[in-house]
Amino acid sequence: MAAESYPALAGGQRITATLLRSMLPQTVRKTADTQRTATTAIVADDHLILPVEANAVYTAEGWIKYSGAAAADLGIQWTVPSGAVGEWSAHGVGTTVIGSNTTPTLLVDTQDARGYMIRTEPNELGVARTYGCISASATLTLFMYGTIRMGSTAGNFSIDWAQSSSNATPTTLYTDSWLRVQRIQ
C-alpha cells in the first residue's frame, strides 16, 4: 500500500504557492494562558482551532501544557464538523493520579482505586476524556494524536476543554500549547 499524501500531483501540473501551502501542516499555538474556574462546560479553546475541508482526511497532533486542582482534573475533547469520524488518544496523567501504596509496587496496565499512571486509550471524536491534575502549582502535559476523516461538511477542528469536576481553583491551559493538522487525502 502506498503512503497517503495530499494533494495528488499530476505530470505537467502547474505548481503554485496555494498548491505548495496545501501540502504543509497547519499549526496553531496558544499565545496566552486561559483559565477556567468552577465550570464543567466543555467549550473550544480560543487559540486551538483550525479549519478543515470537506471530504478530506487529516492526521492531527498537539501538545497541551496545563495545571489545576487535583479535585478538578481536566476534561478535554476534539470537536469536528458534523459527519466527521475518527479517533484520538493522548499520553497524559490518568485519574486519579496514583502514588505508591504501603507496599511500593507499581501495577502495570491496570486501573484500580488509585487510578491510572498514564492514560492512553483511544477515544472517538467529540467524546471527552479526563486527565489528572495534581495541584494548581504542578504543571503537566498531554501529547495528543489521531485521525480525522471528514464528511461532506467543512468547518473547524478544535480542542475543547473544562474542569472535569467544578472547582474554585482555576484550571489553566498555558501559552505555547499547540495543535497541528496535516491533510493526507
Side-chain angles (χ1 to χ4, degrees):
M1 179 176 204
E4 292 183 277
S5 64
Y6 175 84
L9 300 176
Q13 181 176 353
R14 184 181 166 134
I15 304 298
T16 64
T18 301
L19 178 65
L20 291 173
R21 271 192 306 277
S22 74
M23 296 175 180
L24 297 174
Q26 299 178 63
T27 304
V28 291
R29 180 183 63 85
K30 283 187 69 58
T31 56
D33 295 351
T34 302
Q35 292 187 334
R36 297 199 175 143
T37 305
T39 182
T40 59
I42 294 179
V43 296
D45 187 275
D46 292 340
H47 301 105
L48 301 177
I49 301 172
L50 285 165
V52 284
E53 299 296 322
N55 304 311
V57 177
Y58 293 89
T59 56
E61 62 183 341
W63 180 76
I64 304 296
K65 180 180 173 184
Y66 72 99
S67 68
D73 290 331
L74 173 70
I76 194 163
Q77 72 183 36
W78 289 17
T79 298
V80 292
S82 176
V85 294
E87 290 183 304
W88 67 278
S89 186
H91 286 211
V93 173
T95 59
T96 306
V97 178
I98 68 170
S100 63
N101 60 18
T102 55
T103 54
T105 28
L106 178 63
L107 300 174
V108 179
D109 238 2
T110 304
Q111 179 192 15
D112 68 6
R114 292 172 296 195
Y116 293 86
M117 182 171 213
I118 189 168
R119 194 156 197 186
T120 62
E121 311 93 324
N123 203 41
E124 296 293 323
L125 297 174
V127 177
R129 176 77 71 201
T130 301
Y131 291 89
C133 292
I134 296 173
S135 75
S137 63
T139 304
L140 300 169
T141 62
L142 289 176
F143 178 67
M144 305 179 308
Y145 48 91
T147 304
I148 303 166
R149 296 186 317 275
M150 295 295 296
S152 59
T153 304
N156 287 324
F157 163 46
S158 64
I159 300 300
D160 300 5
W161 66 279
Q163 294 176 325
S164 184
S165 297
S166 182
N167 192 279
T169 301
T171 298
T172 305
L173 256 63
Y174 291 104
T175 302
D176 291 333
S177 295
W178 56 269
L179 173 63
R180 176 182 305 138
V181 297
Q182 171 75 55
R183 186 169 177 180
I184 60 170
Q185 190 179 58

